[in-house]
Every structure is written in C-alpha cells, then in structure tokens.
Amino acid sequence: MCSNIATKASNKMWGGRFEQGPAETMEEINASIDFDKRLYKQDILASQVHAQMLGRQGIITEADAKTIVSGLDTIRAEIDAGTFEFKRSLEDIHMNVEARLSELIGAPAGRLHTARSRNDQSVTDVKLWLRDKIDEIDGQLLALIDALITKAEANADTPMPGFTHLQVAQPVSFGHHLLAYVEMMGRDLDRLRDTRKRLNECPLGAAALAGSPYPIDRHWTSEQLQFDRPTENSMDSVSARDHVTEFLFFAAMNAVHLSRLAEELVNWNSDGFKFVNLTDAFTSGSSIMPQKKNPDAAELLRAKPGRIIGSLNALLVVMKGLPLSFMKDMQEDKEPLFDAADNISLCIRVASRLIDDLEPYKDNMLAFLDRGFATATDLADWLVVALDIPFREAHHITGELVALGVKSGRSLSEIPLEEMQAVEPKISDEVFAAISNETSLAARKCFGGTAPENVKAACIRARERFLTTSKG
Ligand code: ARG
C-alpha cells in the first residue's frame, strides 16, 4: 500500500495541534539532520550560554540552568564518541539535542527553549560554525601566500616567457609571475576577513522573528559567544543569509583564482611547454598508457569552481524574492555552505603543496623565450633610444627582423649583424646586449614591474603585508 500515508504519532516537540504524524516523504524533504548534525558543537555551546543567561536573569532557576548545561555536556560527549542516535523524525540538530536532553535530565530540559526559537538558534549555529571555518581558511590562505612568496624569492632572477593571448609576449621573472597570485590571494584574504567582520553579530534572542517578552540579556549571550554585538533587528536576524552568501562569493572568487593557477600548471607541465615538472605526489598514471603522468590534482583544482560557483548561485536563487522573515527555504543554506567550505579549503591546501613542489626547468623557459622572439619590444625600444628612430618605424623594422628569423628558423640574437644591417644600416653590435633576456628584465624597474630587484623588494613587502602584520 502507499507508504506515504501518515500513520505516525504527531511530533513531540511541536505537535500539540496535529492529529497525525508526517508522511514519509514529508520527513524526507523536511528533515535537515543528515547535514546539520555537523553543527552539534555550536548548537550545544549556544544552548549552554542561552541556559546560563536564562538562569542569570531569573527566567529559569540557576539549578535548572546548571542541570541543562551538564546534560548538554553529556550529549556532546555522546556525539563525539559516536554513540548518539540521530533521528530523522526529530528533524534537525536542535530538536535531536533537546529530545535527548529531556531523556537525560527530564523536566528542566523543557525550559531550555524559553525565549528562543529554532530560527535564531539555526542562524546562530551557522554563524559560529562559519566563523571557525573562516579562521581555519585564513590560516590556510596564509600558508599558500607564504609558499608563493618563498618560491618567488628563489626565482626572482629566473626569466620565463610572459604571455598575452597565450602567445609569447615579453620576458618576465618567474618570481614576478608567482607574486601575481599573491596579490589575488591577498585580496581574497581581505574579502574573507571582511565577511567575518560583518557576520560577527549574535542573532540569539531574536527568537522566532519579533524578539522575546522575557527579560533576556542579549548583550551577555553575544559576549559569551564572542560576537562583537547582538544583531540590531530581530526580523533581519532570522531572515539574513548574506553572511553565508558573502562567504560563498569569497569561495567562488578564490576558486576561480586557483583554477587559473591550476590551468597554468597544467600548461607548464605539458609536453609542449615543459616549464615545470609536477611531482609524483600530485600526478597519476594511466591504466592503459604506461608512459603517462597526468596532472590530476591541478585539473581538479581547475574544475572545482564548477561546484563552488554552483553553491553561490544556489543560495542566491533560494533567497531571491523571499519575504521576511524566516522561511523554511532558508534551511537550504547549509549544504551549499558545507560543500563549498570543504572544497575551497581542500583547494587551498592542495595549491600550497603544488607550489611548494614546483621546480622550474629554466633551460626550457629560455629556449621558449628565444623561439617566441620575446625581446622584440626591447629591440624596437633600442632602435628608438640608441638610434633615434621613431617608434612606429622601429616597430616595423623589428617586425622585418622577426620575419627573417621566422623564415630561417633563428632567434633574434642568432641573426648576424650584417643581416640586421641589411634591414637597417644604423644597427650596431650593441643591439645584442639590448635584446638579452637579462637586459629586458632588468630594465622594467618601474613600480610593479618585473625587474628582479623589484621582485626581491616586492617579496619583502609581501611578507610584511601578509605574514608579519597582525590580522586585520
Ligand atoms: N532546521 C531548520 C534550519 O536549518 C531550523 C529552523 C526551523 N524553524 C522552523 N520554524 N521550522 O533552518
């Protein structure tokens, strides 16, 4: 027969007005325990603080408050030990904990839910969880920034081809290239810390939506839970999810940045480039082609924005057009949050290791530079400065020399002086020093340019900016 017909007794926690229990599929769509059990530590902590506040304010007795707090300690230990039985019929972490509390301590458990609602409870739990996660990811990002700076310092003098349109453009320092990612990670870190600042207001006590008629002390609970202040408006407290959305934007942006790094690693490691060698630790073999060593970790790093942007998109779409205040729709904030947080943290940790292991094949980079006529711009600039030729004309002359090189399979510095002079008679042999990679790099010492001395100074500044100043 149809298993969907409700036969259970109504819910003990809220079922006073119900004659029947929920349909099975109702339970399936309604329950969040399968994923929000992850919030148990935060849920228990917030409940303990809430109970203490009720006791301090004389809303419940101090004795009941104490019994509740120690009962909750027992529950935390049970969940830690894996002996706690989570029940879908109890919907979520809040009711699973409260139901067990009532088994453990009896009547006082029924007083815990005075002056609060699952609406303020749920958002408080998520904020506490997210705050810890943000601090964890903050440290992981700093480790990645450290790895990038360390590698950049070691390679301030390593010339590599810089690309535009994935065509060889000009020589750059490999260290300079890595420092570009330090800037991206630094801005992402800023966004992450900004998110933390804004989320750190305590919703507890907003209750269902209107606040509470009991003489609660929201400032005290907020302080105990290390929030900066209680949230200002009770309706906003239970309705807002922008702290989650902002974090998801941070994660999406950071994942996109890391995917660009990953794509570069895949390119650099490919047979066509061979600028770097990805080590055995982060590559894998093929089940059929014995010679293969595939850059799987970098490829997965490249792919992760798919699900992380999906999470951001999912929550924005859930929230769009929702009237105030709490709606069950908002329970859908948690899975995207957990999935994105887990994955961005993994991506950052993997990226750190990939950077730690990165060793450039300097000779291959040099050969690539030559083949790509990377110092053609330097040649044109030399014609301008040394021979006083207008830049447009210098550009054209250089283009002719490049064409000569392409036709004859030689790099610019392999074209003999006489052949150059056949194109432009005033060219002298000083040109060869002007078109070396070293000269090209060293010349770009404007602030932010790729000159090795700049790169070394930029590494020192980056350490100061990100790794030695206190968290801001
Ligand atoms: N499990 C819910 C959530 O994750 C808790 C809030 C439920 N509140 C309610 N009135 N049904 O958001």
Side-chain angles (χ1 to χ4, degrees):
M1 287 292 291
C2 180
S3 61
N4 220 6
I5 294 172
T7 50
K8 295 189 181 172
S10 71
N11 189 300
K12 265 195 298 203
M13 315 297 280
W14 47 246
R17 63 161 296 175
F18 287 72
E19 286 170 12
Q20 288 191 323
E24 256 178 55
T25 45
M26 168 56 179
E27 212 166 87
E28 199 175 332
I29 194 173
N30 196 39
S32 53
I33 188 61
D34 292 341
F35 47 87
D36 69 15
K37 61 179 163 207
R38 213 170 149 168
L39 299 171
Y40 76 94
K41 284 196 176 124
Q42 291 76 18
D43 194 69
I44 287 171
L45 174 67
S47 287
Q48 288 179 321
V49 169
H50 180 70
Q52 283 163 339
M53 182 277 292
L54 294 176
R56 284 168 55 92
Q57 298 297 104
I59 300 168
I60 64 175
T61 64
E62 290 279 5
D64 280 353
K66 276 211 179 77
T67 313
I68 290 170
V69 169
S70 77
L72 288 167
D73 280 336
T74 307
I75 294 172
R76 191 196 296 103
E78 288 176 354
I79 301 178
D80 282 342
T83 57
F84 186 96
E85 194 198 339
F86 291 103
K87 297 193 186 105
R88 206 188 242 179
S89 59
L90 289 166
E91 275 184 51
D92 54 28
I93 187 61
H94 323 299
M95 297 207 296
N96 270 269
V97 169
E98 195 186 315
R100 178 67 183 139
L101 188 65
S102 124
E103 283 170 13
L104 287 172
I105 66 169
R111 300 193 186 278
L112 170 60
H113 211 56
T114 314
R116 75 171 187 189
S117 148
R118 280 185 293 155
N119 298 351
D120 56 341
Q121 226 187 323
S122 153
V123 67
T124 303
D125 291 1
V126 169
K127 281 188 166 191
L128 289 170
W129 183 90
L130 184 51
R131 198 175 64 187
D132 283 351
K133 195 45 113 183
I134 285 175
D135 291 343
E136 198 181 307
I137 292 174
D138 189 301
Q140 293 164 347
L141 263 178
L142 287 176
L144 172 56
I145 287 173
D146 195 355
L148 285 162
I149 298 173
T150 303
K151 205 47 82 171
E153 272 160 349
N155 288 284
D157 292 304
T158 307
M160 77 177 287
F163 294 86
T164 60
H165 312 270
L166 203 55
Q167 306 280 313
V168 173
Q170 292 175 340
V172 293
S173 139
F174 185 45
H176 193 58
H177 195 135
L178 294 173
L179 287 184
Y181 286 99
V182 169
E183 293 306 307
M184 292 176 234
M185 296 304 116
R187 289 193 296 274
D188 291 342
L189 184 63
D190 235 34
R191 275 184 270 271
L192 181 70
R193 290 177 179 177
D194 211 37
T195 301
R196 189 195 196 284
K197 247 182 253 170
R198 247 188 305 282
L199 85 66
N200 207 30
E201 294 183 340
C202 185
L204 204 57
L209 77 163
S212 173
Y214 296 93
I216 57 174
D217 186 348
R218 293 192 59 211
H219 290 86
W220 190 84
T221 41
S222 167
E223 209 178 295
Q224 294 302 303
L225 293 169
Q226 287 161 19
F227 285 104
D228 296 330
R229 62 192 79 82
T231 46
E232 182 78 25
N233 179 293
S234 64
M235 293 185 79
D236 176 55
S237 308
V238 298
S239 308
R241 290 295 180 273
D242 47 287
H243 50 284
V244 181
T245 321
E246 269 194 62
F247 172 79
L248 291 175
F249 176 73
F250 148 78
M253 190 71 257
N254 191 231
V256 166
H257 284 152
L258 292 174
S259 80
R260 299 181 72 177
L261 174 63
E263 166 67 358
E264 302 219 270
L265 293 175
V266 171
N267 283 344
W268 295 345
N269 184 63
S270 70
D271 297 327
F273 287 75
K274 263 300 155 216
F275 286 0
V276 301
N277 182 44
L278 294 178
T279 58
D280 290 0
F282 285 95
T283 50
S284 72
S286 154
S287 58
I288 174 170
M289 298 166 283
Q291 85 284 11
K292 293 279 261 179
K293 209 172 121 178
N294 296 322
D296 298 40
E299 288 172 316
L300 288 164
L301 210 53
R302 187 172 59 185
K304 288 293 187 187
R307 66 198 296 163
I308 297 175
I309 293 167
S311 290
L312 170 62
N313 194 48
L315 186 59
L316 284 170
V317 174
V318 165
M319 296 305 293
K320 186 219 162 276
L322 279 189
L324 303 187
S325 62
F326 179 83
M327 303 279 147
K328 198 60 170 267
D329 310 52
M330 284 148 64
Q331 177 168 290
E332 291 279 312
D333 63 348
K334 289 172 201 59
E335 285 167 293
L337 170 62
F338 293 153
D339 189 74
D342 290 343
N343 277 286
I344 196 63
S345 161
L346 178 61
C347 287
I348 295 167
R349 286 176 287 131
V350 167
S352 290
R353 285 293 315 275
L354 287 171
I355 295 299
D356 277 341
D357 288 1
L358 206 59
E359 280 315 322
Y361 287 153
K362 298 182 184 178
D363 290 346
N364 291 348
M365 288 179 174
L366 289 174
F368 216 96
L369 280 162
D370 281 350
R371 243 185 293 140
F373 304 96
T375 56
T377 313
D378 299 273
L379 174 49
D381 287 339
W382 181 80
L383 294 173
V384 169
V385 174
L387 306 184
D388 197 27
I389 295 174
F391 184 78
R392 258 311 131 222
E393 207 183 310
H395 187 289
H396 196 82
I397 294 166
T398 308
E400 283 184 45
L401 290 170
V402 167
L404 193 63
V406 171
K407 268 187 225 125
S408 56
R410 290 172 299 179
S411 70
L412 280 179
S413 53
E414 284 166 348
I415 299 173
L417 185 59
E418 310 80 70
E419 282 185 53
M420 288 199 187
Q421 284 170 337
V423 176
E424 169 48 59
K426 285 191 281 177
I427 294 179
S428 71
D429 66 356
E430 279 168 34
V431 73
F432 294 106
I435 61 173
S436 78
N437 292 315
E438 290 68 29
T439 308
S440 173
L441 283 186
R444 284 169 172 74
K445 36 177 184 276
C446 76
F447 187 79
T450 192
E453 66 183 78
N454 273 15
V455 174
K456 287 169 197 160
C459 285
I460 293 168
R461 280 200 307 278
R463 278 201 185 284
E464 275 164 19
R465 286 161 62 206
F466 300 113
L467 304 173
T468 57
T469 52
S470 64
K471 277 213 265 170

